[in-house]
Amino acid sequence: MIYMKQLVFPVLVFSIFTISFSACSTGNENPNLKAKPNAYSKLNELTIVADTAIWNGPAGDTLRYYFESPYLILPQPEPMFDLRYFTPRQIAEEQLYRSYRTYIFLSDLSRTGSKTNELVKSDIGEEKITKGLKEGGGNISVGQNKWANNQQLFYMYASDETQLAEVISKAYPAVKKKIQDNDADRIQATVFQGGNNNSISNRILEVFGAQVKIPKDYNIAIDDGNAMWLRKENKDISSNILITKVKYTGPDQMSKESLKNLRNELGKKYVSSTIEGSYMTTNDVDLPMFAENKTINNRFAVELHGIWELENDFMGGPFASLAVVNENKGEVFFIDGFIFSPGEEKRNSMQYMEAILRSVKF
C-alpha cells in the first residue's frame, strides 16, 4: 500500500516514413440481408489471417516482431498487441472467427492456390492490387465492416514474401496508430463508464487552471493548494494521479531531465510507504525514460513514460506524465499518473491512465 506523507509541506530507432492507405469496400452491402452484428474483442487484440506457410515464415516472423514488440514502458515486458491466428479455411468454417474487431490479412501473391490470395483479391479488386504492385512490389489497403459492424481490416499484399515482410515493417507505425485511434473511444468508455467526478474536476480547474476529466471512482488523498494527489484503490491495482503547476521559466524547463527532476520532487515530498525514509523516485537506470513532444490545445507539451520505485522499500511500477506550457499564465501544468499492481499485467491499465492525462484542456 502506498501512503500519503504526513509532513509540514515546504513551498514549493526507427527511420521516419510516410505510408498512404488505400481504402476498399468489403461490405457485400445487400439491403435484403439481415443486419450485421457488432464486432467484439478485448482491447489490443488483433486477428491475423494468412496461409500457414506465410504465418510460419519470414513474413509472419516480421509481423510478430513489430506487433508483439514491448509496450513502452512497463517493469515486465508486455506486447503492444495480443495476436490470434487463423487460416482462411478456419475463417470460412467458423462464424465466431469472423466476429472480431481488427484483422490483418497477409498475402504473398506469388503463391498459387492460396486461399488468402483469393480472399484478398475478392475484397480489394484486381485493379488496386495491380496498382499497388507497380508502385513498389506491395502495398496495404484498409477495409471496414466486412462481417460485422465496427470492424477494421488491413490487407497487406506483395509480389513475394520478401516484399511482404518489407510492407509489414514499413506499415507498422501507421497501422498501429490507426488501430489505437480506432480504440480510443473504447478506452474512454471503459475509463469513464461510472461517469465523471465533477467535484474533483472543478477543484483542479480552480487550483490549477486546467480542465481534466477524472473518473467517478477517484478520491482526493492530498490537496494542499500546491499539489493534488488522487487515488483509486481496487483489489489488484492502486491507481494514482499527482497534479501541480510551476512557474514557466523557459524552454529548458521542458527538457526530459528537468521534468524528471520535477517528478522526483513531487514523489519525495508526497509519496511514501509505511517504511520510514521511503519516497517515490524515477528509475531510469534499469529501464530508460522516454520523452515525446506533443501539442495539447495548441500548447507545447511533453509526455514522459518510465518506471517509478520507492527508495528504501520494494515497490514500483510504470508511470506516465504530461507537462503542458500555459504561456498565457506563464505556468507549466504537470500531471503524473502511476500505478502499483504487483503480479498483474499493466498495459491496459496504463492506457486507461493515459486517457485521463490526455483529457487535459485549457
Side-chain angles (χ1 to χ4, degrees), residues 49-102:
V49 181
D51 297 342
T52 303
I54 296 300
W55 178 244
N56 292 330
D61 289 342
T62 301
L63 185 134
R64 286 187 289 274
Y65 174 81
Y66 286 102
F67 287 85
E68 288 186 330
S69 60
Y71 184 89
L72 295 179
I73 184 170
L74 301 173
Q76 290 79 39
E78 295 179 39
M80 183 67 67
F81 297 103
D82 301 319
L83 306 184
R84 65 162 66 88
Y85 163 71
F86 297 123
T87 65
R89 180 185 293 275
Q90 288 174 307
I91 289 287
E93 292 178 350
E94 177 56 63
Q95 183 177 356
L96 175 64
Y97 299 161
R98 302 191 295 272
S99 61
Y100 298 122
R101 186 177 172 94
T102 307

Side-chain angles (χ1 to χ4, degrees), residues 158-172:
S159 56
D160 57 46
E161 191 167 6
T162 300
Q163 291 283 351
L164 180 58
E166 186 174 340
V167 168
I168 294 168
S169 64
K170 288 183 177 179
Y172 171 69

Side-chain angles (χ1 to χ4, degrees), residues 8-69:
V8 176
F9 300 110
V11 177
L12 232 299
V13 171
F14 294 95
S15 59
I16 299 173
F17 59 89
T18 301
I19 182 167
S20 60
F21 294 106
S22 60
C24 61
S25 173
T26 58
N28 300 324
E29 309 293 348
N30 188 335
N32 296 320
L33 297 177
K34 63 180 181 181
K36 291 180 181 178
N38 289 324
Y40 70 93
S41 66
K42 294 180 181 178
L43 186 64
N44 301 307
E45 281 188 341
L46 304 184
T47 302
I48 315 302
V49 181
D51 297 342
T52 303
I54 296 300
W55 178 244
N56 292 330
D61 289 342
T62 301
L63 185 134
R64 286 187 289 274
Y65 174 81
Y66 286 102
F67 287 85
E68 288 186 330
S69 60

Side-chain angles (χ1 to χ4, degrees), residues 208-209 248 299 324-333 362:
F208 304 107
Y248 178 58
R299 291 171 169 83
V324 187
V325 178
N326 188 347
E327 291 184 339
N328 295 337
K329 294 187 176 182
E331 297 171 343
V332 175
F333 176 80
F362 293 90

Side-chain angles (χ1 to χ4, degrees), residues 268-320:
K268 190 169 186 178
K269 185 174 177 180
Y270 292 105
V271 183
S272 71
S273 70
T274 55
I275 296 179
E276 185 177 356
S278 63
Y279 60 88
M280 185 173 71
T281 188
T282 303
N283 180 354
D284 57 355
V285 175
D286 295 328
L287 290 171
M289 183 180 74
F290 291 90
E292 181 183 1
N293 293 346
K294 289 181 172 290
T295 300
I296 304 292
N297 293 153
N298 297 317
R299 291 171 169 83
F300 178 70
V302 177
E303 187 170 284
L304 303 176
H305 288 266
I307 301 299
W308 66 272
E309 65 181 17
L310 286 188
E311 289 285 351
N312 303 314
D313 200 349
F314 298 97
M315 297 175 68
F319 74 83

Side-chain angles (χ1 to χ4, degrees), residues 106-271:
L106 302 180
S107 175
D108 170 7
L109 295 168
S110 69
R111 294 178 59 82
T112 58
S114 165
K115 295 297 183 183
T116 306
N117 292 351
E118 292 176 9
L119 189 155
V120 171
K121 289 177 181 178
S122 173
D123 285 355
I124 298 176
E126 294 281 356
E127 183 178 347
K128 284 187 178 179
I129 289 178
T130 300
K131 182 180 178 181
L133 296 179
K134 286 182 178 179
E135 290 176 350
N139 210 332
I140 178 170
S141 296
V142 181
Q144 292 182 329
N145 306 336
K146 177 177 175 63
W147 298 299
N149 293 320
N150 301 317
Q151 275 182 340
Q152 193 172 37
L153 308 100
F154 300 90
Y155 300 84
M156 300 184 185
Y157 57 93
S159 56
D160 57 46
E161 191 167 6
T162 300
Q163 291 283 351
L164 180 58
E166 186 174 340
V167 168
I168 294 168
S169 64
K170 288 183 177 179
Y172 171 69
V175 171
K176 180 183 75 169
K177 184 179 186 305
K178 202 168 182 66
I179 293 170
Q180 291 177 337
D181 288 347
N182 194 47
D183 281 342
D185 289 345
R186 299 176 68 195
I187 293 174
Q188 285 282 329
T190 301
V191 173
F192 296 101
Q193 61 183 346
N196 185 55
N197 193 321
N198 292 320
S199 62
I200 293 180
S201 293
N202 291 338
R203 177 60 178 165
I204 294 171
L205 180 61
E206 176 188 356
V207 177
F208 304 107
Q211 299 176 28
V212 185
K213 290 182 64 178
I214 301 297
K216 195 78 170 180
D217 45 5
Y218 275 79
N219 297 298
I220 296 177
I222 288 178
D223 179 5
D224 66 359
N226 295 315
M228 186 181 292
W229 181 5
L230 311 178
R231 302 182 64 183
K232 180 181 74 170
E233 299 294 331
N234 290 334
K235 177 183 177 181
D236 298 320
I237 181 171
S238 172
S239 300
N240 302 266
I241 300 172
L242 281 171
I243 304 173
T244 192
K245 67 179 180 181
V246 295
K247 182 179 178 181
Y248 178 58
T249 59
D252 290 346
Q253 191 178 11
M254 299 297 286
S255 69
K256 181 166 73 171
E257 195 65 24
S258 292
L259 294 175
K260 184 184 81 170
N261 291 338
L262 173 59
R263 186 181 189 279
N264 286 344
E265 289 173 8
L266 285 171
K268 190 169 186 178
K269 185 174 177 180
Y270 292 105
V271 183

